[in-house]
Amino acid sequence: MARVEADTFETFVPKGGFVCRKGEPVENWIGIIGGMVKMNNFSPSGKSVTFTGVPPGGWFGEGSLLKHEARKYDAMALRDSRIARMPAETFHWLLDSSLPFTRFLLMQLNERLGQFIGMVENDRLLDLNTRVARCLASMFHSHLYPGIEKLVHISQEEVGLLSGSSRQRANQALQVLEKHGLLRLDYGGIRVLDLEGLRRYQE
């Protein structure tokens, strides 16, 4: 813990800024202290696809560190964000010397795989209202995102980006979910009232 605290450093990334970019060398394991980060890519024509959003308490980038490869995606701040960066040397030292960290990382990779399988299924099989419900529910993951609170500080535009829809269509879906008593649209975010209901929701 002493080495991790000594080696890990914090940076600030303003809204719309890049936390990291596709193709660059992976020098750090990245954690979110405050704010929200989205992992996405752009096609040659400029079309954007968002893979997931990472709220406070979440870490990402371990796959590229383990494979010693260049980063496969961009990570952008959806709002002003405080970013923790653990150097690759410290990450690999932990992996070699700490059984609890190795176990944590194994669980992290397994849960991330399950998350992305679920996202593919949601995108191909579910209507948009259900995709928005599952998108919000996926942020309440005790292993991947331990720091999330019931009031999610996320805008309707950000929900649209994360669920693959426009802000207007995401707003309509949120209103449907609010009428079902699953959430409440509060000033500054979305308050989840029934997490299990969001996880089970299917119109």
Side-chain angles (χ1 to χ4, degrees):
M1 182 61 72
R3 175 169 175 176
V4 168
E5 290 180 345
D7 293 352
T8 303
F9 60 98
E10 180 181 332
T11 58
F12 173 80
V13 180
K15 178 181 178 179
F18 285 92
V19 176
C20 55
R21 305 196 71 154
K22 181 179 180 179
E24 69 182 12
V26 181
E27 299 175 343
N28 303 292
W29 193 36
I30 299 175
I32 313 305
I33 301 171
M36 175 79 71
V37 171
K38 69 170 180 174
M39 299 159 62
N40 69 316
N41 266 335
F42 292 92
S43 71
S45 64
K47 183 179 180 180
S48 174
V49 56
T50 298
F51 302 124
T52 188
V54 186
W59 290 80
F60 67 90
E62 58 276 353
S64 295
L65 279 169
L66 290 169
K67 291 183 283 186
H68 301 282
E69 65 181 11
R71 199 169 300 279
K72 298 291 188 181
Y73 50 82
D74 294 319
M76 301 178 67
L78 287 173
R79 64 174 63 90
D80 290 351
S81 298
R82 296 169 56 208
I83 306 299
R85 299 180 187 269
M86 180 189 293
E89 294 82 3
T90 309
F91 174 90
H92 287 290
W93 173 78
L94 273 175
L95 188 61
D96 291 338
S97 62
S98 172
L99 184 59
F101 180 75
T102 302
R103 185 180 297 276
F104 170 85
L105 204 60
L106 181 64
M107 290 297 298
Q108 174 95 348
L109 292 167
N110 185 56
E111 297 294 345
R112 183 81 71 198
L113 176 61
Q115 181 187 45
F116 279 100
I117 289 173
M119 288 173 59
V120 172
E121 179 185 33
N122 293 348
D123 186 58
R124 295 183 180 179
L125 300 179
L126 303 180
D127 64 274
L128 184 60
N129 293 345
T130 308
R131 291 212 313 268
V132 169
R134 301 285 175 84
C135 172
L136 289 172
S138 71
M139 294 183 184
F140 293 87
H141 194 297
S142 59
H143 190 89
L144 293 175
Y145 314 126
I148 197 73
E149 299 177 353
K150 287 299 177 74
L151 177 61
V152 186
H153 296 283
I154 188 171
S155 71
Q156 294 176 19
E157 179 182 8
E158 292 163 354
V159 172
L161 288 170
L162 296 176
S163 60
S165 66
S166 66
R167 184 192 66 79
Q168 293 84 355
R169 185 62 187 86
N171 173 263
Q172 293 172 4
L174 289 169
Q175 290 183 26
V176 170
L177 297 173
E178 186 175 36
K179 289 177 181 176
H180 281 81
L182 302 176
L183 56 83
R184 186 171 69 238
L185 302 178
D186 282 358
Y187 178 76
I190 299 167
R191 185 173 298 279
V192 172
L193 303 176
D194 184 353
L195 178 57
E196 286 305 312
L198 286 176
R199 287 174 173 158
R200 296 193 309 266
Y201 181 85
Q202 188 162 4
E203 191 173 41

